[in-house]
């Protein structure tokens, strides 16, 4: 891809490639858990596929798509990307890092799962490769902020376009979250993997991981919200219900997304119940901006449906463009988020978490939220972006229309089965459900249904990749459709929600309050390191 969208297109191309590889890895796991035979099935391949699927899908596919979307939005909304040389340098750096980490995983040298908890130890190339990807994303954030500041000088007093406002919030969350990751990887994992230190403290490492791990969800989610707020109402034929509510929502995520990590460590020792409860309360607080989003987007769609002639209490829903691949992808992603949010509230509950901790419920929940709410939004975003960036018409449109419905069907089979199996006690990340003897019989039907769902998901994933590649390489050339964004029912006005410096300071203070004392307290206790552990 050439021209002003070359940078954005290069990132999105890498994201699609990672998605394709990760999709095959996903179906292998579901078949294995259900004891369905396939060539070369063994424990080693299973855990390689778990690691590769998690890293490539959750870290590489998402991060590259988000960076590509950011560059495209900056080109269109700000009319510039400042520092393209640095941006291309970061792209090459991230690509080198991603390849290093992927090769290490696929060779079976870094089977440490997506969470890379120590004492599971990977090769140094895995940690260093992942670090290069994160450092490159910091440079991406710097380029985006520099582009905004350049635009700001020419437009004093004018609020940033809502799409850019959302991307700035995404960048701020990323910087705040990856501070914890940097401490863990650079300060602990890399020296340990290189043999500079003999042992590692798993609990301290996990604490820094979850400083990063939960806000990572919002790093994925906010770019999806950008598409929901700024593109979806326009494609639906209506207007955004409220620009101001959107600005508030993005800033609330900056404030509340990071100081919540202890709800992932309810069963960990060394962290007092009081601090775990405090993080639980903050976790429930972060549900509020998603509820506001649900109200705002549904109201916007009702406006669109009624502008299309819909009447009655629900008649406007039928008038929405369900045959548009972008609209269908986003609308189905939003419906999935209703169920994902419900499950997330259970995960965060201090008492109920004990029922589903480290069970198959978690993989069911993760695939509804990240795998569908985020993933399907990004697939829909690809259908919207590619014709506009390449000037090529979408190929195999019927396939593109069918793909999101196939995805939601496959995910319903896959995720519902694992939710139920998790409640019945099926452990998470097991090579075979039958390893538990007679108890495994109660899970067998559910794991087979989940495997069928995984196959449907793979078919849907192949449809997405086929449409994207065919459009890129062979779509009919013509005049590129315009990048059009939803107008708000009321014009946007500058407000306190545009004061990014102020909210960043408040967010840092909240993080220090939530993590400062617990981490110091942990470090003051007697610490016992662990040697590395490599099962394969």
């Amino acid at each position: 891809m050439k021209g002003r969208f070359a940078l954005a297109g290069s990132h999105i191309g890498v994201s699609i490639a990672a998605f394709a590889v990760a999709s095959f890895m996903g179906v292998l796991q579901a078949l294995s858990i259900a004891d369905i035979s396939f060539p070369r099935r063994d424990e080693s391949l299973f855990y390689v596929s778990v690691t590769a699927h998690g890293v490539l899908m959750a870290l590489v596919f998402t991060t590259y798509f988000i960076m590509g979307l950011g560059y495209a939005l900056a080109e269109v909304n700000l009319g510039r990307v400042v520092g393209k040389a640095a941006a291309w340098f970061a792209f090459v750096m991230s690509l080198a890092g991603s390849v290093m980490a992927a090769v290490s995983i696929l060779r079976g040298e870094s089977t440490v799962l997506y969470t890379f908890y120590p004492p599971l130890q990977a090769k140094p190339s895995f940690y260093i490769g992942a670090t290069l990807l994160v450092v490159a994303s910091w440079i991406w954030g710097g380029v985006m902020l520099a582009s905004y500041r350049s635009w700001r000088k020419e437009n004093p007093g004018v609020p940033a376009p809502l799409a850019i406002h959302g991307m700035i919030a995404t960048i701020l969350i990323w910087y705040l979250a990856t501070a914890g990751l940097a401490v863990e990887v650079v300060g602990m994992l890399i020296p340990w993997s290189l043999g500079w230190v003999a042992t590692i403290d798993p609990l301290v490492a996990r604490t820094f991981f979850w400083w990063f791990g939960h806000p990572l969800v919002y790093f994925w989610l906010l770019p999806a919200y950008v598409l929901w707020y700024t593109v979806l109402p326009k494609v639906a034929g209506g207007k955004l219900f409220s620009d101001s509510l959107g600005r508030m929502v993005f800033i609330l995520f900056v404030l509340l997304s990071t100081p919540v990590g202890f709800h992932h460590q309810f069963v960990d020792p060394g962290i007092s119940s009081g601090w775990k409860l405090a993080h639980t309360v903050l976790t429930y607080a972060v549900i509020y901006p998603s509820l506001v989003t649900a109200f705002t987007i549904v109201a916007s769609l009702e406006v669109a449906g009624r502008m299309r002639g819909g009447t009655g209490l629900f008649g406007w829903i039928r008038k929405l463009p369900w045959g548009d691949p972008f609209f269908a992808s986003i609308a189905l992603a939003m419906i999935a988020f209703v169920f994902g949010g419900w499950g997330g509230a259970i995960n965060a509950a201090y008492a109920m978490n004990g029922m589903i901790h480290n069970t198959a419920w978690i993989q069911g929940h993760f695939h509804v939220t990240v795998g569908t709410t985020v993933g399907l939004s990004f697939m829909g975003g690809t259908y919207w972006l590619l014709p506009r960036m390449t000037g090529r018409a979408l190929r195999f449109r019927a396939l593109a229309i069918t793909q999101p419905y196939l995805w939601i069907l496959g995910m319903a089979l896959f995720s519902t089965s694992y939710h139920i199996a998790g409640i019945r006690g099926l452990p998470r990340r097991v090579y075979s459900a039958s390893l538990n003897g007679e108890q495994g019989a109660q899970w067998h039907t559910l794991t087979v249904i989940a495997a069928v769902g995984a196959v449907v998901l793979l078919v849907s994933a192949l449809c997405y990749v086929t449409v994207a590649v065919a459009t890129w390489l062979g779509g009919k050339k013509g005049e590129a459709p315009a990048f059009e964004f939803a107008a708000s029912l009321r014009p946007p006005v500058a407000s306190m929600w545009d004061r990014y410096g102020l909210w960043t300071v408040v967010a840092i203070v909240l993080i220090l309050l939530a993590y400062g004392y617990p981490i110091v307290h942990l470090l003051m206790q007697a610490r016992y390191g662990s040697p590395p552990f490599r099962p394969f």
Side-chain angles (χ1 to χ4, degrees):
M1 185 179 297
K2 298 180 180 178
R4 65 174 180 151
F5 294 114
L7 198 53
S10 299
H11 285 78
I12 290 173
V14 175
S15 78
I16 294 170
F19 176 89
V21 176
S23 297
F24 282 102
M25 293 294 172
V27 77
L28 293 183
Q29 298 167 56
L31 294 175
S32 181
I33 294 171
D35 288 311
I36 298 173
S37 297
F38 55 86
R40 304 190 64 180
R41 176 185 176 232
D42 63 17
E43 293 88 342
S44 176
L45 177 61
F46 174 78
Y47 287 105
V48 165
S49 70
V50 172
T51 306
H53 178 73
V55 171
L56 291 176
M57 196 66 91
L59 298 180
V60 179
F61 164 62
T62 55
T63 303
Y64 275 93
F65 183 88
I66 291 166
M67 292 193 289
L69 176 66
Y71 285 136
L73 293 175
E75 287 282 5
V76 175
N77 286 275
L78 304 178
R80 75 206 70 191
V81 170
V82 174
K84 283 193 174 179
W88 279 113
F89 172 76
F91 173 72
V92 174
M93 178 194 291
S94 66
L95 197 56
S98 300
V99 171
M100 281 176 63
V103 168
S104 181
I105 294 169
L106 295 176
R107 292 180 64 179
E109 299 173 342
S110 297
T111 308
V112 290
L113 314 183
Y114 148 75
T115 43
F116 48 88
Y117 285 156
L120 288 176
Q121 189 187 62
K123 287 282 187 179
S125 58
F126 172 81
Y127 300 121
I128 294 171
T131 300
L132 291 176
L133 173 60
V134 172
V135 171
S137 70
W138 289 347
I139 298 173
W140 162 76
V143 170
M144 289 289 296
L145 293 177
S147 302
Y148 166 71
R149 287 178 61 86
S150 171
W151 177 88
R152 170 91 283 161
K153 289 179 182 176
E154 298 173 9
N155 298 274
V158 179
L162 185 57
I164 297 299
H165 180 84
M167 292 309 300
I168 290 174
T170 303
I171 293 164
L172 296 178
I173 288 174
W174 189 238
Y175 282 154
L176 295 170
T178 49
L181 182 70
V183 173
E184 184 198 5
V185 176
V186 178
M188 301 177 72
L189 294 175
I190 290 178
W192 179 56
S193 67
L194 290 170
W196 296 348
V197 294
T199 61
I200 195 166
D201 188 327
L203 179 56
V204 172
R206 282 165 62 90
T207 301
F208 281 114
F209 177 85
W210 285 115
W211 170 322
F212 155 80
H214 195 79
L216 172 63
V217 173
Y218 302 104
F219 172 70
W220 298 325
L221 187 60
L222 260 60
Y225 276 14
V226 166
L227 294 170
W228 297 10
Y229 272 97
T230 66
V231 182
L232 184 68
K234 181 65 180 179
V235 172
K239 293 188 174 184
L240 177 62
F241 180 76
S242 171
D243 179 277
S244 299
L245 283 178
R247 290 175 191 278
M248 178 193 75
V249 161
F250 286 118
I251 294 302
L252 287 180
F253 278 116
V254 172
L255 299 179
L256 299 172
S257 63
T258 303
V260 299
F262 287 161
H263 83 259
H264 291 271
Q265 295 181 267
F266 282 153
V267 299
D268 284 2
I271 303 168
S272 74
S273 56
W275 282 107
K276 291 174 181 175
L277 182 60
H279 281 227
T280 298
V281 172
L282 288 167
T283 302
Y284 280 102
V286 84
I287 295 175
Y288 174 70
S290 283
L291 293 176
V292 174
T293 296
F295 167 78
T296 307
I297 301 302
V298 172
S300 303
L301 294 181
E302 182 176 355
V303 170
R306 296 196 183 285
M307 288 174 70
R308 286 171 167 266
T311 57
L313 189 59
F314 300 113
W316 56 271
I317 297 176
R318 289 187 292 106
K319 294 292 183 179
L320 295 172
W322 294 96
D324 181 279
F326 171 82
F327 180 87
S329 298
I330 301 292
L332 295 175
M334 291 170 54
I335 292 171
F337 198 40
V338 173
F339 299 97
W342 167 74
I346 290 176
N347 297 346
Y350 201 84
M352 287 191 287
N353 182 278
M355 295 188 298
I356 48 83
H357 183 77
N358 266 345
T359 68
W361 167 286
I362 301 301
Q363 64 220 42
H365 168 73
F366 203 66
H367 282 80
V368 169
T369 50
V370 180
T372 303
T373 303
V374 173
L376 202 49
S377 293
F378 289 180
M379 288 182 248
T382 306
Y383 298 142
W384 182 74
L385 282 168
L386 277 186
R388 288 161 178 79
M389 294 196 305
T390 63
R392 293 178 181 273
L394 205 62
R395 288 290 308 275
F396 304 126
R397 188 173 178 82
L399 213 56
I401 294 171
T402 307
Q403 182 268 320
Y405 294 98
L406 270 179
W407 188 271
I408 209 74
L409 170 64
M411 193 58 75
L413 296 171
F414 177 90
S415 179
T416 304
S417 300
Y418 278 143
H419 272 92
I420 298 171
I423 293 174
R424 293 182 180 177
L426 174 61
R428 181 187 182 192
R429 294 166 167 170
V430 288
Y431 161 67
S432 164
S434 66
L435 291 177
N436 289 274
E438 293 182 0
Q439 189 179 1
Q442 65 171 317
W443 304 318
H444 182 67
T445 302
L446 291 167
T447 57
V448 171
I449 294 172
V452 171
V455 172
V456 176
L457 286 169
L458 178 63
V459 172
S460 175
L462 293 177
C463 291
Y464 163 70
V465 174
T466 300
V467 171
V469 173
T471 300
W472 207 311
L473 300 179
K476 185 178 179 181
K477 280 194 172 181
E479 186 175 348
F483 281 87
E484 294 183 309
F485 298 90
S488 176
L489 288 177
R490 290 184 179 180
V493 294
S495 69
M496 65 178 184
W497 304 116
D498 299 297
R499 300 183 65 182
Y500 305 118
L502 169 65
W503 298 121
T504 302
V505 171
V506 175
I508 291 172
V509 171
L510 283 173
I511 293 170
L512 292 176
L513 289 173
Y515 275 107
Y517 177 80
I519 289 177
V520 170
H521 180 68
L522 265 181
L523 297 175
M524 290 177 65
Q525 299 175 35
R527 308 305 316 163
Y528 303 97
S530 171
F533 180 66
R534 291 182 179 175
F536 300 106

